[in-house]
Amino acid sequence: MGTVAKRGRRSSAPGDRAAPCPCGSGGPYARCCGPLHRGEVDAATAEALMRSRFSAFAVGDAGYLLRSWHERSRPARITLDPDRRWTRLEILATDRGGLLDTVGAVEFRAHYRAAGRPGTLTERSRFVRADGRWVYLDAEPG
């Protein structure tokens, strides 16, 4: 979800332990992406990082987005769009990015609503391990 960060109203309140995780895992936010956002654990795979970044857009956690971005491509700051509400994530394909890999890519489709209208963003994001943890590098040109 590239250098332009857009999000909307929080789709699940981070304080609500039973709220479903926006990433679509089916688990509660408090035990799924919440621990990553709070810095308690690191994503084990590139896909897990992608899911946690989508959730960060959905709940408005700009700090996590910056922390999970590779220093080489990370912007100085991001502004989240309060009129865009991220609603659903579809993982379309993954390429590497596993437990023993150092690079990976995740193709996804992120659904949102803006100005009362639905929209989608499709991207193939690249991830690398930096200092032993997965970080978002950039979106493949396309």
Side-chain angles (χ1 to χ4, degrees):
M1 297 199 325
T3 58
V4 177
K6 305 254 183 192
R7 73 103 189 159
R9 292 168 295 285
R10 294 176 186 268
S11 64
S12 61
D16 181 356
R17 296 192 61 79
C21 193
C23 82
S25 69
Y29 172 80
R31 289 197 326 256
C32 187
C33 291
L36 284 91
H37 294 174
R38 292 187 302 270
E40 297 168 1
V41 297
D42 290 327
T45 65
E47 181 180 335
L49 183 64
M50 175 63 242
R51 288 180 176 280
S52 71
R53 286 179 56 82
F54 174 84
S55 289
F57 277 96
V59 301
D61 191 342
Y64 178 77
L65 292 167
L66 289 171
R67 288 190 310 275
S68 61
W69 213 312
H70 193 281
E71 65 182 13
R72 185 173 81 211
S73 56
R74 177 177 50 229
R77 62 186 166 96
I78 58 174
T79 302
L80 301 175
D81 184 345
D83 296 324
R84 184 166 290 186
R85 184 173 56 90
W86 296 97
T87 59
R88 184 167 57 96
L89 176 67
E90 292 177 77
I91 301 297
L92 304 175
T94 58
D95 181 16
R96 299 174 64 186
L99 296 174
L100 302 177
D101 294 317
T102 57
V103 298
V106 178
E107 184 177 357
F108 67 91
R109 183 174 298 122
H111 298 263
Y112 63 87
R113 291 196 67 78
R117 302 177 74 173
T120 60
L121 168 72
T122 302
E123 180 178 297
R124 183 173 165 90
S125 294
R126 296 188 298 184
F127 299 88
V128 296
R129 281 196 195 266
D131 297 324
R133 67 182 192 94
W134 285 107
V135 291
Y136 169 77
L137 181 60
D138 58 18
E140 284 187 2

